[in-house]
Amino acid sequence: MSKAQAHIEVLAEDQQRINAFSRLHVKMQELERKLASEKRYLEELEDASNELMLSDDDNVRFLVGECLVHFEKDTAEGRLEEVTKEAKESADKTTADLADVKKQLGDLKAHLYAKFGSQINLEEE
């Protein structure tokens, strides 16, 4: 074996880091899917808000759970603002969580590549 391909012993702490990387990678993918879903939801809420502003009706149907409920336009606008605020807060939290996970992944990746070099592949295919 050449020096570049020399066997590097995998210690228990290395295996723990590899396992942590794997778990964090799965969590990152889940958070990315969740964030994409939250962004689509925010777009739908924005569309609903625009439609509500253009509406001439005094009473509108508003989805609550799985039921459509009739609200006065002003009440619906207020409720839509609340829902949008909650959705933005959730998306902001997901964005922060995702950034934290990506930082942890970067730290683990740097450590593992420093030790194992090309003998480990942590990239997605």
Short mmCIF file of all heavy atoms in Angstrom, two decimals, residues 31-32 34-42 83-101:
data_model
loop_
_atom_site.label_atom_id
_atom_site.label_comp_id
_atom_site.label_asym_id
_atom_site.label_seq_id
_atom_site.Cartn_x
_atom_site.Cartn_y
_atom_site.Cartn_z
N LEU A 31 -35.42 18.67 7.27
CA LEU A 31 -35.62 20.11 7.45
C LEU A 31 -35.73 20.83 6.11
O LEU A 31 -36.54 21.76 5.98
CB LEU A 31 -34.48 20.70 8.29
CG LEU A 31 -34.49 20.35 9.78
CD1 LEU A 31 -33.20 20.80 10.45
CD2 LEU A 31 -35.70 20.95 10.48
N GLU A 32 -34.96 20.41 5.12
CA GLU A 32 -35.06 21.02 3.79
C GLU A 32 -36.44 20.77 3.19
O GLU A 32 -37.03 21.67 2.58
CB GLU A 32 -33.97 20.49 2.87
CG GLU A 32 -32.60 21.04 3.20
CD GLU A 32 -31.46 20.42 2.40
OE1 GLU A 32 -31.63 19.29 1.87
OE2 GLU A 32 -30.39 21.05 2.31
N LYS A 34 -39.19 20.16 4.92
CA LYS A 34 -40.14 20.92 5.74
C LYS A 34 -40.12 22.39 5.34
O LYS A 34 -41.17 23.02 5.20
CB LYS A 34 -39.79 20.77 7.22
CG LYS A 34 -40.71 21.52 8.15
CD LYS A 34 -40.32 21.32 9.60
CE LYS A 34 -41.26 22.11 10.50
NZ LYS A 34 -40.85 22.05 11.91
N LEU A 35 -38.93 22.95 5.14
CA LEU A 35 -38.81 24.36 4.76
C LEU A 35 -39.44 24.60 3.39
O LEU A 35 -40.13 25.61 3.19
CB LEU A 35 -37.34 24.79 4.77
CG LEU A 35 -37.08 26.26 4.49
CD1 LEU A 35 -37.80 27.15 5.51
CD2 LEU A 35 -35.59 26.54 4.52
N ALA A 36 -39.24 23.70 2.46
CA ALA A 36 -39.84 23.85 1.13
C ALA A 36 -41.36 23.85 1.25
O ALA A 36 -42.05 24.66 0.61
CB ALA A 36 -39.37 22.74 0.20
N SER A 37 -41.89 22.97 2.09
CA SER A 37 -43.33 22.90 2.30
C SER A 37 -43.84 24.19 2.96
O SER A 37 -44.88 24.72 2.57
CB SER A 37 -43.65 21.69 3.19
OG SER A 37 -45.01 21.67 3.53
N GLU A 38 -43.10 24.69 3.93
CA GLU A 38 -43.51 25.92 4.61
C GLU A 38 -43.48 27.11 3.64
O GLU A 38 -44.35 27.97 3.70
CB GLU A 38 -42.61 26.18 5.82
CG GLU A 38 -42.87 25.22 6.95
CD GLU A 38 -41.87 25.32 8.10
OE1 GLU A 38 -40.73 25.79 7.88
OE2 GLU A 38 -42.24 24.92 9.22
N LYS A 39 -42.51 27.14 2.76
CA LYS A 39 -42.43 28.22 1.78
C LYS A 39 -43.60 28.16 0.81
O LYS A 39 -44.18 29.19 0.45
CB LYS A 39 -41.10 28.18 1.03
CG LYS A 39 -39.94 28.68 1.87
CD LYS A 39 -38.65 28.66 1.11
CE LYS A 39 -37.50 29.21 1.94
NZ LYS A 39 -36.23 29.24 1.22
N ARG A 40 -43.97 26.93 0.39
CA ARG A 40 -45.14 26.78 -0.49
C ARG A 40 -46.40 27.27 0.23
O ARG A 40 -47.25 27.96 -0.36
CB ARG A 40 -45.32 25.33 -0.93
CG ARG A 40 -44.44 24.92 -2.08
CD ARG A 40 -44.83 23.56 -2.65
NE ARG A 40 -44.86 22.49 -1.67
CZ ARG A 40 -43.81 21.78 -1.27
NH1 ARG A 40 -42.62 22.03 -1.77
NH2 ARG A 40 -43.94 20.82 -0.38
N TYR A 41 -46.53 26.92 1.50
CA TYR A 41 -47.68 27.32 2.30
C TYR A 41 -47.74 28.85 2.42
O TYR A 41 -48.81 29.45 2.28
CB TYR A 41 -47.62 26.66 3.68
CG TYR A 41 -48.80 26.95 4.58
CD1 TYR A 41 -50.11 26.68 4.16
CD2 TYR A 41 -48.62 27.47 5.84
CE1 TYR A 41 -51.19 26.93 4.99
CE2 TYR A 41 -49.69 27.73 6.68
CZ TYR A 41 -50.97 27.45 6.25
OH TYR A 41 -52.04 27.71 7.07
N LEU A 42 -46.59 29.48 2.65
CA LEU A 42 -46.55 30.94 2.73
C LEU A 42 -46.97 31.58 1.41
O LEU A 42 -47.67 32.60 1.40
CB LEU A 42 -45.16 31.43 3.14
CG LEU A 42 -44.83 31.31 4.63
CD1 LEU A 42 -43.34 31.54 4.87
CD2 LEU A 42 -45.66 32.30 5.43
N VAL A 83 -52.44 33.60 10.83
CA VAL A 83 -51.93 32.34 10.27
C VAL A 83 -50.62 32.58 9.52
O VAL A 83 -49.67 31.80 9.65
CB VAL A 83 -52.99 31.70 9.34
CG1 VAL A 83 -52.43 30.52 8.57
CG2 VAL A 83 -54.21 31.26 10.15
N THR A 84 -50.56 33.68 8.78
CA THR A 84 -49.34 34.02 8.04
C THR A 84 -48.19 34.29 9.00
O THR A 84 -47.06 33.83 8.78
CB THR A 84 -49.58 35.23 7.12
OG1 THR A 84 -50.64 34.92 6.22
CG2 THR A 84 -48.34 35.60 6.35
N LYS A 85 -48.46 35.00 10.08
CA LYS A 85 -47.42 35.29 11.08
C LYS A 85 -46.90 33.99 11.68
O LYS A 85 -45.69 33.80 11.82
CB LYS A 85 -47.98 36.20 12.17
CG LYS A 85 -46.96 36.56 13.23
CD LYS A 85 -47.57 37.42 14.32
CE LYS A 85 -46.53 37.64 15.40
NZ LYS A 85 -47.10 38.09 16.65
N GLU A 86 -47.80 33.10 12.04
CA GLU A 86 -47.40 31.81 12.61
C GLU A 86 -46.57 31.00 11.61
O GLU A 86 -45.57 30.38 11.97
CB GLU A 86 -48.64 31.00 13.03
CG GLU A 86 -49.37 31.58 14.22
CD GLU A 86 -50.73 30.94 14.45
OE1 GLU A 86 -51.09 29.97 13.73
OE2 GLU A 86 -51.46 31.41 15.34
N ALA A 87 -46.98 31.02 10.35
CA ALA A 87 -46.26 30.28 9.31
C ALA A 87 -44.87 30.86 9.10
O ALA A 87 -43.90 30.12 8.92
CB ALA A 87 -47.06 30.28 8.01
N LYS A 88 -44.75 32.20 9.13
CA LYS A 88 -43.44 32.83 8.97
C LYS A 88 -42.52 32.47 10.14
O LYS A 88 -41.34 32.21 9.95
CB LYS A 88 -43.58 34.35 8.86
CG LYS A 88 -44.05 34.82 7.51
CD LYS A 88 -44.17 36.33 7.46
CE LYS A 88 -44.72 36.76 6.10
NZ LYS A 88 -44.94 38.20 6.03
N GLU A 89 -43.07 32.49 11.36
CA GLU A 89 -42.28 32.13 12.54
C GLU A 89 -41.79 30.69 12.44
O GLU A 89 -40.64 30.39 12.76
CB GLU A 89 -43.10 32.34 13.82
CG GLU A 89 -43.32 33.80 14.15
CD GLU A 89 -44.30 34.02 15.30
OE1 GLU A 89 -44.88 33.03 15.82
OE2 GLU A 89 -44.50 35.18 15.70
N SER A 90 -42.67 29.82 11.98
CA SER A 90 -42.29 28.41 11.82
C SER A 90 -41.19 28.25 10.77
O SER A 90 -40.22 27.53 10.97
CB SER A 90 -43.51 27.58 11.44
OG SER A 90 -43.16 26.23 11.28
N ALA A 91 -41.34 28.97 9.64
CA ALA A 91 -40.33 28.90 8.59
C ALA A 91 -39.00 29.48 9.06
O ALA A 91 -37.93 28.95 8.75
CB ALA A 91 -40.82 29.64 7.34
N ASP A 92 -39.05 30.55 9.85
CA ASP A 92 -37.83 31.14 10.39
C ASP A 92 -37.13 30.17 11.34
O ASP A 92 -35.90 30.05 11.31
CB ASP A 92 -38.13 32.46 11.12
CG ASP A 92 -38.53 33.59 10.18
OD1 ASP A 92 -38.31 33.45 8.95
OD2 ASP A 92 -39.08 34.60 10.68
N LYS A 93 -37.91 29.48 12.16
CA LYS A 93 -37.33 28.50 13.09
C LYS A 93 -36.72 27.34 12.31
O LYS A 93 -35.61 26.89 12.62
CB LYS A 93 -38.38 27.97 14.07
CG LYS A 93 -37.79 26.98 15.07
CD LYS A 93 -38.83 26.43 16.01
CE LYS A 93 -38.27 25.48 17.02
NZ LYS A 93 -37.23 24.57 16.60
N THR A 94 -37.41 26.88 11.30
CA THR A 94 -36.88 25.79 10.47
C THR A 94 -35.60 26.22 9.78
O THR A 94 -34.63 25.46 9.72
CB THR A 94 -37.93 25.33 9.44
OG1 THR A 94 -39.12 24.91 10.14
CG2 THR A 94 -37.41 24.17 8.60
N THR A 95 -35.56 27.46 9.29
CA THR A 95 -34.36 27.99 8.64
C THR A 95 -33.19 28.03 9.63
O THR A 95 -32.07 27.64 9.29
CB THR A 95 -34.62 29.40 8.08
OG1 THR A 95 -35.68 29.31 7.12
CG2 THR A 95 -33.39 29.99 7.43
N ALA A 96 -33.45 28.47 10.85
CA ALA A 96 -32.40 28.53 11.88
C ALA A 96 -31.93 27.12 12.24
O ALA A 96 -30.72 26.87 12.38
CB ALA A 96 -32.91 29.26 13.11
N ASP A 97 -32.88 26.19 12.39
CA ASP A 97 -32.53 24.80 12.70
C ASP A 97 -31.68 24.20 11.59
O ASP A 97 -30.70 23.49 11.85
CB ASP A 97 -33.79 23.95 12.91
CG ASP A 97 -34.56 24.30 14.17
OD1 ASP A 97 -34.00 25.03 15.03
OD2 ASP A 97 -35.71 23.86 14.30
N LEU A 98 -32.06 24.48 10.35
CA LEU A 98 -31.33 23.96 9.20
C LEU A 98 -29.90 24.53 9.17
O LEU A 98 -28.94 23.79 8.92
CB LEU A 98 -32.08 24.30 7.91
CG LEU A 98 -31.48 23.79 6.61
CD1 LEU A 98 -31.35 22.27 6.62
CD2 LEU A 98 -32.35 24.22 5.43
N ALA A 99 -29.76 25.81 9.44
CA ALA A 99 -28.43 26.42 9.47
C ALA A 99 -27.57 25.78 10.56
O ALA A 99 -26.37 25.52 10.34
CB ALA A 99 -28.54 27.93 9.69
N ASP A 100 -28.16 25.50 11.71
CA ASP A 100 -27.44 24.87 12.81
C ASP A 100 -26.97 23.47 12.42
O ASP A 100 -25.82 23.09 12.66
CB ASP A 100 -28.31 24.82 14.07
CG ASP A 100 -27.60 24.23 15.25
OD1 ASP A 100 -26.47 24.66 15.55
OD2 ASP A 100 -28.17 23.31 15.89
N VAL A 101 -27.87 22.70 11.81
CA VAL A 101 -27.52 21.35 11.38
C VAL A 101 -26.42 21.39 10.32
O VAL A 101 -25.48 20.60 10.38
CB VAL A 101 -28.78 20.60 10.86
CG1 VAL A 101 -28.40 19.32 10.13
CG2 VAL A 101 -29.71 20.27 12.02
#
